[in-house]
Amino acid sequence: MKSLTYFLFGLFVIFSTSCKEKQEQTQEQKQKPNVLFVLLDDLGYSDLGCYGGEIKTPNMDQLGMTGLRYESIYNSARCCPSRAALMTGLYPPQAGIADFTSNKPKEGAGPAYLGRLREDCVTLGEVLKSVGYSTYYVGKWHLHEETSPVKRGFDEFYGYDMGYAQDQWDPTAYVRKPEGRAKEIDKPEGEFYATDVFNEYALEFLKQAKSKEGKPWFLFLGHSSPHFPVQAPKESIDKYFDIYMKGWDKIREERYKKLKTVGLIENEDRWTLTERAIVPVDGDAITNGYSGQENPAWDVLDIDRQRDLARRMATFAAMVEHVDKGIGQIVDYLKETGQYDNTVIMLTSDNGACYEWGPFGFDGPSRKGITTLHKGDSLNLVGQNGSHSAYGSAWANMCNTPFKLYKHFTNEGGVASPFIVHWPNQIKENAGTWVREKTHLIDIMPTLCDITGAQYPETFNGNAIQKMEGVSLVKTFKSETVEERPIFFSHQGAKAVILGDWKIVWSKRMPYEIKWELYNLKEDKSETKDLAEQYPEKVEKLAAMWNDYAIRVGL
């Protein structure tokens, strides 16, 4: 009888211990914050209201003004290289996308040019999933369908996993994965608008996550807006048309003044409003005859051209506003369900505004399209079902106010993006302030590892994993500084290095001799004073660092 009593007592102890451990694990999971990362596509540096823009973005503005707004977060100059850096914590060549996604990797070029994610890197989805997170991806992936979200750590996916752009009005262009999943939201053509559906799917996945009580979630909302083709509901476009009839010169001036009002510009000498940017050297057919020239003044254009261009920019603005409305709906849901305070929300863009290809934009597939002058009744067709328009280099220059140049380039206009971090549970004393630390998309992986307690692996799926390149930004949540380190850039001939206050830039496709330029970002964030001849030793030092980087990452 005694033996039976001891045996039953032992079972009771084991059962109690097991229950306690499970309870502790559940409690630990409940304490882990949820993570929402929002990535816009080709958003300009000053497009958001809280960064100086006139576009109506009250929900994103509220996150910025009650969280942290960073002076900038650096990107990798173009969509898929930036996404590779963000998703892996590595520079794009280390992740396999030195240039662009591709079905035909460059022969003999090495793993940096694989054209899709390499096996010796891990994604945010894979790392957060390892510590109990439910993982969801909505929107544009652009890291190749062979390494699609559901193959690289995400439980559920809705969007498109191949290609850089899709028609916002075509429901057949978007898929639900894993294979066999029925679409929870399945609107027919005529009722479908991708930006709104992405927001609706974000809410759908959050509701699915809520049903898994006690399990934290990570949702990546990768909007394709406002990337071309610029498309939006007509009524949303209409209300911006008169605003943009003022033209890019006037609105650049207005944005520059507002940049001071919102507190981003703390020193006018440092933040010069640059001259209108140069149109990169290319064929006259796609640069509208402005190859290698400055974008034209608005006032020299005839009224029909002005109306056409105002309609294009109004469409771009409407796309951003539709993203913002979805953010508001998501925030409302998080508040209603008691998840708001313990949800980390991060928001940025993958590169600067897109100049492709000249000041008048284009209609039709990229580089194969032509510039159409829409006038009369055809103005109302811009952005509608069946259209395929871009807004051009002059508006892109305006969207990047006060900087020069654009996406594809490693000047600030190409690689500096707005960045908002919002987390009520942890960002309190310094909420609403500007963070001036130099950050890069490679820092998101170590930051989320730090926040969630995830361990970045040395091996994964039998592969040795490259070490992270970024640093955790958690210190910046408390107004502390991060350690100084070099930040490297490389994209199809354009390159740069930042170390401390100094930056060297190598441009491309300009109508002048290309050589290293040197800027002091502490005194000249707008890159207006090239100091290369004055400080040749700094140029030599930073150029040598870039060369070492290029060798190390396999460029």
Side-chain angles (χ1 to χ4, degrees), residues 54-289:
E54 68 293 324
I55 302 173
K56 293 177 175 60
T57 56
N59 298 297
M60 291 186 274
D61 295 347
Q62 183 67 16
L63 292 175
M65 292 184 290
T66 57
L68 299 175
R69 280 172 289 175
Y70 287 67
E71 181 174 284
S72 61
I73 189 168
Y74 285 110
N75 59 64
S76 296
R78 201 171 181 188
C79 308
C80 50
S82 290
R83 289 160 193 267
L86 166 56
M87 193 56 61
T88 65
L90 303 172
Y91 284 111
Q94 297 170 304
I97 305 179
D99 277 353
F100 211 67
T101 54
S102 175
N103 286 322
K104 295 181 179 179
K106 292 184 179 181
E107 189 173 349
Y113 298 89
L114 183 64
R116 60 182 182 273
L117 292 181
R118 288 162 50 167
E119 294 299 316
D120 57 352
C121 67
V122 285
T123 70
L124 291 170
E126 289 165 337
V127 172
L128 268 62
K129 195 172 183 177
S130 71
V131 287
Y133 276 73
S134 297
T135 54
Y136 305 92
Y137 198 106
V138 176
K140 173 178 173 177
W141 174 243
H142 203 195
L143 295 173
H144 205 284
E145 62 186 352
E146 291 301 316
T147 51
S148 72
V150 294
K151 294 179 180 179
R152 295 306 304 253
F154 289 90
D155 299 321
E156 307 292 339
F157 169 70
Y158 175 82
Y160 63 106
D161 52 9
M162 189 63 185
Y164 58 83
Q166 287 290 2
D167 189 330
Q168 293 265 338
W169 300 111
D170 181 8
T172 66
Y174 306 91
V175 299
R176 179 74 171 89
K177 291 185 178 180
E179 298 294 341
R181 289 279 198 275
K183 289 183 179 179
E184 296 89 342
I185 302 166
D186 194 11
K187 296 182 177 181
E189 187 173 349
E191 298 176 22
F192 182 94
Y193 177 60
T195 297
D196 290 347
V197 174
F198 288 171
N199 289 325
E200 291 174 35
Y201 251 106
L203 284 169
E204 168 62 30
F205 285 161
L206 289 182
K207 290 172 184 175
Q208 293 182 20
K210 186 69 171 64
S211 68
K212 302 175 182 179
E213 288 293 346
K215 193 168 186 181
W217 50 262
F218 170 48
L219 170 62
F220 195 104
L221 176 52
H223 273 290
S224 53
S225 285
H227 191 290
F228 67 79
V230 288
Q231 296 171 318
K234 181 179 178 300
E235 61 274 13
S236 300
I237 301 170
D238 288 344
K239 61 186 179 183
Y240 283 103
F241 178 73
D242 288 341
I243 292 173
Y244 293 115
M245 278 300 293
K246 291 189 290 186
W248 44 65
D249 294 318
K250 180 66 175 174
I251 297 176
R252 283 188 86 219
E253 292 173 1
E254 291 176 351
R255 283 197 181 191
Y256 184 70
K257 290 177 182 176
K258 191 177 174 186
L259 285 167
K260 298 181 227 177
T261 303
V262 300
L264 179 52
I265 291 181
E266 83 284 26
N267 179 346
E268 287 187 49
D269 291 335
R270 181 179 180 235
W271 298 81
T272 305
L273 179 60
T274 55
E275 299 296 322
R276 284 189 297 274
I278 291 173
V279 177
V281 173
D282 213 326
D284 281 348
I286 62 172
T287 61
N288 314 130

